[in-house]
Amino acid sequence: MKLELKNQKTSGDKKKKQKINNQRKREDLKNFMEMGLEPPPDMSQAFKDCIQDLGGSDIKIVIQKFLQVIDMMFQQNRLSMSLKQIRSTFLNEDEERMLNAKRQLTVTFVEPCLSVSTVNLTKWSIGSSLSYIINGDYCNVLKNNRNSLKPNAVVSIWSFRVQPNSQLGFASIKGIDEEEGHIIN
């Protein structure tokens, strides 16, 4: 009897969390639309040039999100991207297998300030959902962009492929700052 009640409670908790997550996703989408960010604006030429200089191509939008306080905490050293909010497939089969096996990928990362760094990509279970996590030297990305990356700023994360080995890379572009209230080009 106790086990049955516990299972019912756990199931109810999961449904409640899912409802909150769905509501948050709808609210974010509504806010993006009101800000003129839905669909996400095209990548600026400066970022396209930077990616091209790295030998990159096959650019795709991965996610557009409001930065959360936890995304900005140096001690956390990570940026999360909920699988539920991912907009396009960006991993190949080998990469997907590696992440599912709890391994990490080392990827090139074009920062909002156009500096290029190296970070890790992993896949974590956070609460009842899965997220891709950019970590490794992510705290250095925060340091390099401390004047522009703030909680509630909208960023878009784009993927690209660097030849000759088709290595995965990402670009993080600040789109708008709620506090400043203007679109960044």
mmCIF file with all atom_site columns, all heavy atoms in Angstrom, residues 27-49:
data_model
loop_
_atom_site.group_PDB
_atom_site.id
_atom_site.type_symbol
_atom_site.label_atom_id
_atom_site.label_alt_id
_atom_site.label_comp_id
_atom_site.label_asym_id
_atom_site.label_entity_id
_atom_site.label_seq_id
_atom_site.pdbx_PDB_ins_code
_atom_site.Cartn_x
_atom_site.Cartn_y
_atom_site.Cartn_z
_atom_site.occupancy
_atom_site.B_iso_or_equiv
_atom_site.pdbx_formal_charge
_atom_site.auth_seq_id
_atom_site.auth_comp_id
_atom_site.auth_asym_id
_atom_site.auth_atom_id
_atom_site.pdbx_PDB_model_num
ATOM 1   N N   . GLU A 1 27 ? 5.521  30.426 -22.288 1.00 0.00 ? 27 GLU A N   1
ATOM 2   C CA  . GLU A 1 27 ? 5.787  31.815 -21.899 1.00 0.00 ? 27 GLU A CA  1
ATOM 3   C C   . GLU A 1 27 ? 7.034  32.353 -22.593 1.00 0.00 ? 27 GLU A C   1
ATOM 4   O O   . GLU A 1 27 ? 7.036  33.489 -23.058 1.00 0.00 ? 27 GLU A O   1
ATOM 5   C CB  . GLU A 1 27 ? 5.930  31.925 -20.380 1.00 0.00 ? 27 GLU A CB  1
ATOM 6   C CG  . GLU A 1 27 ? 4.633  31.762 -19.634 1.00 0.00 ? 27 GLU A CG  1
ATOM 7   C CD  . GLU A 1 27 ? 4.810  31.689 -18.126 1.00 0.00 ? 27 GLU A CD  1
ATOM 8   O OE1 . GLU A 1 27 ? 5.950  31.861 -17.630 1.00 0.00 ? 27 GLU A OE1 1
ATOM 9   O OE2 . GLU A 1 27 ? 3.810  31.461 -17.428 1.00 0.00 ? 27 GLU A OE2 1
ATOM 10  N N   . ASP A 1 28 ? 8.095  31.540 -22.670 1.00 0.00 ? 28 ASP A N   1
ATOM 11  C CA  . ASP A 1 28 ? 9.310  31.964 -23.367 1.00 0.00 ? 28 ASP A CA  1
ATOM 12  C C   . ASP A 1 28 ? 9.015  32.243 -24.833 1.00 0.00 ? 28 ASP A C   1
ATOM 13  O O   . ASP A 1 28 ? 9.439  33.262 -25.370 1.00 0.00 ? 28 ASP A O   1
ATOM 14  C CB  . ASP A 1 28 ? 10.410 30.897 -23.254 1.00 0.00 ? 28 ASP A CB  1
ATOM 15  C CG  . ASP A 1 28 ? 11.075 30.868 -21.887 1.00 0.00 ? 28 ASP A CG  1
ATOM 16  O OD1 . ASP A 1 28 ? 10.772 31.736 -21.043 1.00 0.00 ? 28 ASP A OD1 1
ATOM 17  O OD2 . ASP A 1 28 ? 11.903 29.962 -21.672 1.00 0.00 ? 28 ASP A OD2 1
ATOM 18  N N   . LEU A 1 29 ? 8.260  31.348 -25.482 1.00 0.00 ? 29 LEU A N   1
ATOM 19  C CA  . LEU A 1 29 ? 7.918  31.532 -26.888 1.00 0.00 ? 29 LEU A CA  1
ATOM 20  C C   . LEU A 1 29 ? 7.119  32.815 -27.085 1.00 0.00 ? 29 LEU A C   1
ATOM 21  O O   . LEU A 1 29 ? 7.382  33.592 -27.995 1.00 0.00 ? 29 LEU A O   1
ATOM 22  C CB  . LEU A 1 29 ? 7.149  30.317 -27.404 1.00 0.00 ? 29 LEU A CB  1
ATOM 23  C CG  . LEU A 1 29 ? 6.837  30.300 -28.888 1.00 0.00 ? 29 LEU A CG  1
ATOM 24  C CD1 . LEU A 1 29 ? 8.121  30.353 -29.711 1.00 0.00 ? 29 LEU A CD1 1
ATOM 25  C CD2 . LEU A 1 29 ? 6.036  29.055 -29.246 1.00 0.00 ? 29 LEU A CD2 1
ATOM 26  N N   . LYS A 1 30 ? 6.155  33.057 -26.193 1.00 0.00 ? 30 LYS A N   1
ATOM 27  C CA  . LYS A 1 30 ? 5.352  34.286 -26.267 1.00 0.00 ? 30 LYS A CA  1
ATOM 28  C C   . LYS A 1 30 ? 6.254  35.516 -26.114 1.00 0.00 ? 30 LYS A C   1
ATOM 29  O O   . LYS A 1 30 ? 6.131  36.486 -26.867 1.00 0.00 ? 30 LYS A O   1
ATOM 30  C CB  . LYS A 1 30 ? 4.276  34.274 -25.183 1.00 0.00 ? 30 LYS A CB  1
ATOM 31  C CG  . LYS A 1 30 ? 3.390  35.492 -25.185 1.00 0.00 ? 30 LYS A CG  1
ATOM 32  C CD  . LYS A 1 30 ? 2.373  35.437 -24.056 1.00 0.00 ? 30 LYS A CD  1
ATOM 33  C CE  . LYS A 1 30 ? 1.636  36.749 -23.976 1.00 0.00 ? 30 LYS A CE  1
ATOM 34  N NZ  . LYS A 1 30 ? 1.001  36.939 -22.692 1.00 0.00 ? 30 LYS A NZ  1
ATOM 35  N N   . ASN A 1 31 ? 7.165  35.469 -25.144 1.00 0.00 ? 31 ASN A N   1
ATOM 36  C CA  . ASN A 1 31 ? 8.090  36.593 -24.945 1.00 0.00 ? 31 ASN A CA  1
ATOM 37  C C   . ASN A 1 31 ? 8.995  36.789 -26.149 1.00 0.00 ? 31 ASN A C   1
ATOM 38  O O   . ASN A 1 31 ? 9.256  37.926 -26.555 1.00 0.00 ? 31 ASN A O   1
ATOM 39  C CB  . ASN A 1 31 ? 8.925  36.394 -23.675 1.00 0.00 ? 31 ASN A CB  1
ATOM 40  C CG  . ASN A 1 31 ? 8.106  36.551 -22.411 1.00 0.00 ? 31 ASN A CG  1
ATOM 41  O OD1 . ASN A 1 31 ? 7.075  37.225 -22.405 1.00 0.00 ? 31 ASN A OD1 1
ATOM 42  N ND2 . ASN A 1 31 ? 8.545  35.924 -21.338 1.00 0.00 ? 31 ASN A ND2 1
ATOM 43  N N   . PHE A 1 32 ? 9.499  35.711 -26.736 1.00 0.00 ? 32 PHE A N   1
ATOM 44  C CA  . PHE A 1 32 ? 10.340 35.820 -27.937 1.00 0.00 ? 32 PHE A CA  1
ATOM 45  C C   . PHE A 1 32 ? 9.568  36.496 -29.058 1.00 0.00 ? 32 PHE A C   1
ATOM 46  O O   . PHE A 1 32 ? 10.095 37.354 -29.766 1.00 0.00 ? 32 PHE A O   1
ATOM 47  C CB  . PHE A 1 32 ? 10.816 34.445 -28.412 1.00 0.00 ? 32 PHE A CB  1
ATOM 48  C CG  . PHE A 1 32 ? 11.824 33.769 -27.528 1.00 0.00 ? 32 PHE A CG  1
ATOM 49  C CD1 . PHE A 1 32 ? 11.892 32.392 -27.482 1.00 0.00 ? 32 PHE A CD1 1
ATOM 50  C CD2 . PHE A 1 32 ? 12.709 34.489 -26.745 1.00 0.00 ? 32 PHE A CD2 1
ATOM 51  C CE1 . PHE A 1 32 ? 12.820 31.742 -26.677 1.00 0.00 ? 32 PHE A CE1 1
ATOM 52  C CE2 . PHE A 1 32 ? 13.637 33.851 -25.932 1.00 0.00 ? 32 PHE A CE2 1
ATOM 53  C CZ  . PHE A 1 32 ? 13.687 32.476 -25.897 1.00 0.00 ? 32 PHE A CZ  1
ATOM 54  N N   . MET A 1 33 ? 8.288  36.116 -29.213 1.00 0.00 ? 33 MET A N   1
ATOM 55  C CA  . MET A 1 33 ? 7.463  36.713 -30.269 1.00 0.00 ? 33 MET A CA  1
ATOM 56  C C   . MET A 1 33 ? 7.263  38.201 -30.017 1.00 0.00 ? 33 MET A C   1
ATOM 57  O O   . MET A 1 33 ? 7.383  39.010 -30.938 1.00 0.00 ? 33 MET A O   1
ATOM 58  C CB  . MET A 1 33 ? 6.124  35.978 -30.373 1.00 0.00 ? 33 MET A CB  1
ATOM 59  C CG  . MET A 1 33 ? 6.268  34.568 -30.912 1.00 0.00 ? 33 MET A CG  1
ATOM 60  S SD  . MET A 1 33 ? 4.735  33.646 -30.935 1.00 0.00 ? 33 MET A SD  1
ATOM 61  C CE  . MET A 1 33 ? 3.960  34.387 -32.357 1.00 0.00 ? 33 MET A CE  1
ATOM 62  N N   . GLU A 1 34 ? 6.979  38.570 -28.767 1.00 0.00 ? 34 GLU A N   1
ATOM 63  C CA  . GLU A 1 34 ? 6.773  39.978 -28.433 1.00 0.00 ? 34 GLU A CA  1
ATOM 64  C C   . GLU A 1 34 ? 8.041  40.803 -28.662 1.00 0.00 ? 34 GLU A C   1
ATOM 65  O O   . GLU A 1 34 ? 7.976  41.980 -28.999 1.00 0.00 ? 34 GLU A O   1
ATOM 66  C CB  . GLU A 1 34 ? 6.320  40.115 -26.977 1.00 0.00 ? 34 GLU A CB  1
ATOM 67  C CG  . GLU A 1 34 ? 4.903  39.655 -26.749 1.00 0.00 ? 34 GLU A CG  1
ATOM 68  C CD  . GLU A 1 34 ? 4.502  39.632 -25.281 1.00 0.00 ? 34 GLU A CD  1
ATOM 69  O OE1 . GLU A 1 34 ? 5.336  39.975 -24.404 1.00 0.00 ? 34 GLU A OE1 1
ATOM 70  O OE2 . GLU A 1 34 ? 3.349  39.270 -25.002 1.00 0.00 ? 34 GLU A OE2 1
ATOM 71  N N   . MET A 1 35 ? 9.203  40.182 -28.480 1.00 0.00 ? 35 MET A N   1
ATOM 72  C CA  . MET A 1 35 ? 10.478 40.872 -28.659 1.00 0.00 ? 35 MET A CA  1
ATOM 73  C C   . MET A 1 35 ? 10.936 40.868 -30.116 1.00 0.00 ? 35 MET A C   1
ATOM 74  O O   . MET A 1 35 ? 11.985 41.416 -30.440 1.00 0.00 ? 35 MET A O   1
ATOM 75  C CB  . MET A 1 35 ? 11.563 40.198 -27.811 1.00 0.00 ? 35 MET A CB  1
ATOM 76  C CG  . MET A 1 35 ? 11.348 40.317 -26.344 1.00 0.00 ? 35 MET A CG  1
ATOM 77  S SD  . MET A 1 35 ? 12.610 39.310 -25.517 1.00 0.00 ? 35 MET A SD  1
ATOM 78  C CE  . MET A 1 35 ? 12.295 39.714 -23.824 1.00 0.00 ? 35 MET A CE  1
ATOM 79  N N   . GLY A 1 36 ? 10.172 40.226 -30.996 1.00 0.00 ? 36 GLY A N   1
ATOM 80  C CA  . GLY A 1 36 ? 10.568 40.142 -32.392 1.00 0.00 ? 36 GLY A CA  1
ATOM 81  C C   . GLY A 1 36 ? 11.672 39.115 -32.622 1.00 0.00 ? 36 GLY A C   1
ATOM 82  O O   . GLY A 1 36 ? 12.393 39.200 -33.611 1.00 0.00 ? 36 GLY A O   1
ATOM 83  N N   . LEU A 1 37 ? 11.788 38.149 -31.723 1.00 0.00 ? 37 LEU A N   1
ATOM 84  C CA  . LEU A 1 37 ? 12.851 37.139 -31.827 1.00 0.00 ? 37 LEU A CA  1
ATOM 85  C C   . LEU A 1 37 ? 12.331 35.758 -32.216 1.00 0.00 ? 37 LEU A C   1
ATOM 86  O O   . LEU A 1 37 ? 13.024 34.769 -32.076 1.00 0.00 ? 37 LEU A O   1
ATOM 87  C CB  . LEU A 1 37 ? 13.592 37.029 -30.488 1.00 0.00 ? 37 LEU A CB  1
ATOM 88  C CG  . LEU A 1 37 ? 14.370 38.263 -30.073 1.00 0.00 ? 37 LEU A CG  1
ATOM 89  C CD1 . LEU A 1 37 ? 14.907 38.106 -28.662 1.00 0.00 ? 37 LEU A CD1 1
ATOM 90  C CD2 . LEU A 1 37 ? 15.503 38.523 -31.045 1.00 0.00 ? 37 LEU A CD2 1
ATOM 91  N N   . GLU A 1 38 ? 11.118 35.696 -32.694 1.00 0.00 ? 38 GLU A N   1
ATOM 92  C CA  . GLU A 1 38 ? 10.570 34.423 -33.136 1.00 0.00 ? 38 GLU A CA  1
ATOM 93  C C   . GLU A 1 38 ? 9.994  34.612 -34.519 1.00 0.00 ? 38 GLU A C   1
ATOM 94  O O   . GLU A 1 38 ? 9.079  35.420 -34.689 1.00 0.00 ? 38 GLU A O   1
ATOM 95  C CB  . GLU A 1 38 ? 9.499  33.938 -32.163 1.00 0.00 ? 38 GLU A CB  1
ATOM 96  C CG  . GLU A 1 38 ? 9.021  32.542 -32.402 1.00 0.00 ? 38 GLU A CG  1
ATOM 97  C CD  . GLU A 1 38 ? 10.123 31.510 -32.371 1.00 0.00 ? 38 GLU A CD  1
ATOM 98  O OE1 . GLU A 1 38 ? 11.016 31.540 -31.526 1.00 0.00 ? 38 GLU A OE1 1
ATOM 99  O OE2 . GLU A 1 38 ? 10.081 30.654 -33.257 1.00 0.00 ? 38 GLU A OE2 1
ATOM 100 N N   . PRO A 1 39 ? 10.530 33.970 -35.530 1.00 0.00 ? 39 PRO A N   1
ATOM 101 C CA  . PRO A 1 39 ? 11.652 33.050 -35.467 1.00 0.00 ? 39 PRO A CA  1
ATOM 102 C C   . PRO A 1 39 ? 12.951 33.792 -35.126 1.00 0.00 ? 39 PRO A C   1
ATOM 103 O O   . PRO A 1 39 ? 13.030 35.009 -35.293 1.00 0.00 ? 39 PRO A O   1
ATOM 104 C CB  . PRO A 1 39 ? 11.715 32.457 -36.881 1.00 0.00 ? 39 PRO A CB  1
ATOM 105 C CG  . PRO A 1 39 ? 11.137 33.512 -37.755 1.00 0.00 ? 39 PRO A CG  1
ATOM 106 C CD  . PRO A 1 39 ? 10.089 34.194 -36.917 1.00 0.00 ? 39 PRO A CD  1
ATOM 107 N N   . PRO A 1 40 ? 13.961 33.034 -34.652 1.00 0.00 ? 40 PRO A N   1
ATOM 108 C CA  . PRO A 1 40 ? 15.226 33.691 -34.290 1.00 0.00 ? 40 PRO A CA  1
ATOM 109 C C   . PRO A 1 40 ? 15.803 34.443 -35.490 1.00 0.00 ? 40 PRO A C   1
ATOM 110 O O   . PRO A 1 40 ? 15.714 33.974 -36.623 1.00 0.00 ? 40 PRO A O   1
ATOM 111 C CB  . PRO A 1 40 ? 16.143 32.525 -33.910 1.00 0.00 ? 40 PRO A CB  1
ATOM 112 C CG  . PRO A 1 40 ? 15.213 31.407 -33.562 1.00 0.00 ? 40 PRO A CG  1
ATOM 113 C CD  . PRO A 1 40 ? 13.994 31.596 -34.417 1.00 0.00 ? 40 PRO A CD  1
ATOM 114 N N   . PRO A 1 41 ? 16.382 35.614 -35.240 1.00 0.00 ? 41 PRO A N   1
ATOM 115 C CA  . PRO A 1 41 ? 16.981 36.363 -36.348 1.00 0.00 ? 41 PRO A CA  1
ATOM 116 C C   . PRO A 1 41 ? 18.162 35.598 -36.938 1.00 0.00 ? 41 PRO A C   1
ATOM 117 O O   . PRO A 1 41 ? 18.765 34.750 -36.273 1.00 0.00 ? 41 PRO A O   1
ATOM 118 C CB  . PRO A 1 41 ? 17.443 37.674 -35.699 1.00 0.00 ? 41 PRO A CB  1
ATOM 119 C CG  . PRO A 1 41 ? 17.402 37.451 -34.235 1.00 0.00 ? 41 PRO A CG  1
ATOM 120 C CD  . PRO A 1 41 ? 16.519 36.282 -33.964 1.00 0.00 ? 41 PRO A CD  1
ATOM 121 N N   . ASP A 1 42 ? 18.473 35.898 -38.185 1.00 0.00 ? 42 ASP A N   1
ATOM 122 C CA  . ASP A 1 42 ? 19.637 35.287 -38.827 1.00 0.00 ? 42 ASP A CA  1
ATOM 123 C C   . ASP A 1 42 ? 20.903 35.655 -38.075 1.00 0.00 ? 42 ASP A C   1
ATOM 124 O O   . ASP A 1 42 ? 20.975 36.704 -37.430 1.00 0.00 ? 42 ASP A O   1
ATOM 125 C CB  . ASP A 1 42 ? 19.763 35.759 -40.283 1.00 0.00 ? 42 ASP A CB  1
ATOM 126 C CG  . ASP A 1 42 ? 18.700 35.150 -41.186 1.00 0.00 ? 42 ASP A CG  1
ATOM 127 O OD1 . ASP A 1 42 ? 18.174 34.070 -40.844 1.00 0.00 ? 42 ASP A OD1 1
ATOM 128 O OD2 . ASP A 1 42 ? 18.409 35.757 -42.228 1.00 0.00 ? 42 ASP A OD2 1
ATOM 129 N N   . MET A 1 43 ? 21.896 34.804 -38.210 1.00 0.00 ? 43 MET A N   1
ATOM 130 C CA  . MET A 1 43 ? 23.198 35.048 -37.608 1.00 0.00 ? 43 MET A CA  1
ATOM 131 C C   . MET A 1 43 ? 23.848 36.245 -38.299 1.00 0.00 ? 43 MET A C   1
ATOM 132 O O   . MET A 1 43 ? 23.777 36.383 -39.518 1.00 0.00 ? 43 MET A O   1
ATOM 133 C CB  . MET A 1 43 ? 24.070 33.800 -37.770 1.00 0.00 ? 43 MET A CB  1
ATOM 134 C CG  . MET A 1 43 ? 25.451 33.930 -37.203 1.00 0.00 ? 43 MET A CG  1
ATOM 135 S SD  . MET A 1 43 ? 26.458 32.456 -37.510 1.00 0.00 ? 43 MET A SD  1
ATOM 136 C CE  . MET A 1 43 ? 25.793 31.351 -36.291 1.00 0.00 ? 43 MET A CE  1
ATOM 137 N N   . SER A 1 44 ? 24.489 37.107 -37.514 1.00 0.00 ? 44 SER A N   1
ATOM 138 C CA  . SER A 1 44 ? 25.142 38.287 -38.094 1.00 0.00 ? 44 SER A CA  1
ATOM 139 C C   . SER A 1 44 ? 26.336 37.872 -38.943 1.00 0.00 ? 44 SER A C   1
ATOM 140 O O   . SER A 1 44 ? 26.915 36.800 -38.760 1.00 0.00 ? 44 SER A O   1
ATOM 141 C CB  . SER A 1 44 ? 25.592 39.238 -36.983 1.00 0.00 ? 44 SER A CB  1
ATOM 142 O OG  . SER A 1 44 ? 26.709 38.702 -36.309 1.00 0.00 ? 44 SER A OG  1
ATOM 143 N N   . GLN A 1 45 ? 26.719 38.737 -39.856 1.00 0.00 ? 45 GLN A N   1
ATOM 144 C CA  . GLN A 1 45 ? 27.823 38.451 -40.761 1.00 0.00 ? 45 GLN A CA  1
ATOM 145 C C   . GLN A 1 45 ? 29.139 38.266 -40.000 1.00 0.00 ? 45 GLN A C   1
ATOM 146 O O   . GLN A 1 45 ? 29.965 37.453 -40.386 1.00 0.00 ? 45 GLN A O   1
ATOM 147 C CB  . GLN A 1 45 ? 27.965 39.570 -41.808 1.00 0.00 ? 45 GLN A CB  1
ATOM 148 C CG  . GLN A 1 45 ? 28.906 39.216 -42.940 1.00 0.00 ? 45 GLN A CG  1
ATOM 149 C CD  . GLN A 1 45 ? 28.438 37.998 -43.738 1.00 0.00 ? 45 GLN A CD  1
ATOM 150 O OE1 . GLN A 1 45 ? 27.273 37.878 -44.107 1.00 0.00 ? 45 GLN A OE1 1
ATOM 151 N NE2 . GLN A 1 45 ? 29.352 37.065 -43.980 1.00 0.00 ? 45 GLN A NE2 1
ATOM 152 N N   . ALA A 1 46 ? 29.328 38.989 -38.907 1.00 0.00 ? 46 ALA A N   1
ATOM 153 C CA  . ALA A 1 46 ? 30.567 38.863 -38.127 1.00 0.00 ? 46 ALA A CA  1
ATOM 154 C C   . ALA A 1 46 ? 30.731 37.434 -37.615 1.00 0.00 ? 46 ALA A C   1
ATOM 155 O O   . ALA A 1 46 ? 31.838 36.869 -37.657 1.00 0.00 ? 46 ALA A O   1
ATOM 156 C CB  . ALA A 1 46 ? 30.564 39.842 -36.956 1.00 0.00 ? 46 ALA A CB  1
ATOM 157 N N   . PHE A 1 47 ? 29.642 36.821 -37.144 1.00 0.00 ? 47 PHE A N   1
ATOM 158 C CA  . PHE A 1 47 ? 29.718 35.434 -36.672 1.00 0.00 ? 47 PHE A CA  1
ATOM 159 C C   . PHE A 1 47 ? 29.898 34.472 -37.833 1.00 0.00 ? 47 PHE A C   1
ATOM 160 O O   . PHE A 1 47 ? 30.666 33.513 -37.736 1.00 0.00 ? 47 PHE A O   1
ATOM 161 C CB  . PHE A 1 47 ? 28.477 35.070 -35.848 1.00 0.00 ? 47 PHE A CB  1
ATOM 162 C CG  . PHE A 1 47 ? 28.553 35.560 -34.434 1.00 0.00 ? 47 PHE A CG  1
ATOM 163 C CD1 . PHE A 1 47 ? 28.035 36.793 -34.085 1.00 0.00 ? 47 PHE A CD1 1
ATOM 164 C CD2 . PHE A 1 47 ? 29.155 34.797 -33.454 1.00 0.00 ? 47 PHE A CD2 1
ATOM 165 C CE1 . PHE A 1 47 ? 28.109 37.259 -32.785 1.00 0.00 ? 47 PHE A CE1 1
ATOM 166 C CE2 . PHE A 1 47 ? 29.239 35.241 -32.139 1.00 0.00 ? 47 PHE A CE2 1
ATOM 167 C CZ  . PHE A 1 47 ? 28.719 36.485 -31.811 1.00 0.00 ? 47 PHE A CZ  1
ATOM 168 N N   . LYS A 1 48 ? 29.205 34.716 -38.945 1.00 0.00 ? 48 LYS A N   1
ATOM 169 C CA  . LYS A 1 48 ? 29.384 33.864 -40.126 1.00 0.00 ? 48 LYS A CA  1
ATOM 170 C C   . LYS A 1 48 ? 30.830 33.899 -40.591 1.00 0.00 ? 48 LYS A C   1
ATOM 171 O O   . LYS A 1 48 ? 31.411 32.860 -40.918 1.00 0.00 ? 48 LYS A O   1
ATOM 172 C CB  . LYS A 1 48 ? 28.457 34.319 -41.254 1.00 0.00 ? 48 LYS A CB  1
ATOM 173 C CG  . LYS A 1 48 ? 26.999 34.014 -41.014 1.00 0.00 ? 48 LYS A CG  1
ATOM 174 C CD  . LYS A 1 48 ? 26.145 34.531 -42.146 1.00 0.00 ? 48 LYS A CD  1
ATOM 175 C CE  . LYS A 1 48 ? 24.671 34.324 -41.878 1.00 0.00 ? 48 LYS A CE  1
ATOM 176 N NZ  . LYS A 1 48 ? 23.826 34.916 -42.934 1.00 0.00 ? 48 LYS A NZ  1
ATOM 177 N N   . ASP A 1 49 ? 31.433 35.095 -40.597 1.00 0.00 ? 49 ASP A N   1
ATOM 178 C CA  . ASP A 1 49 ? 32.831 35.236 -41.021 1.00 0.00 ? 49 ASP A CA  1
ATOM 179 C C   . ASP A 1 49 ? 33.771 34.496 -40.067 1.00 0.00 ? 49 ASP A C   1
ATOM 180 O O   . ASP A 1 49 ? 34.706 33.823 -40.500 1.00 0.00 ? 49 ASP A O   1
ATOM 181 C CB  . ASP A 1 49 ? 33.232 36.709 -41.116 1.00 0.00 ? 49 ASP A CB  1
ATOM 182 C CG  . ASP A 1 49 ? 32.542 37.438 -42.259 1.00 0.00 ? 49 ASP A CG  1
ATOM 183 O OD1 . ASP A 1 49 ? 31.982 36.769 -43.163 1.00 0.00 ? 49 ASP A OD1 1
ATOM 184 O OD2 . ASP A 1 49 ? 32.550 38.692 -42.242 1.00 0.00 ? 49 ASP A OD2 1
#
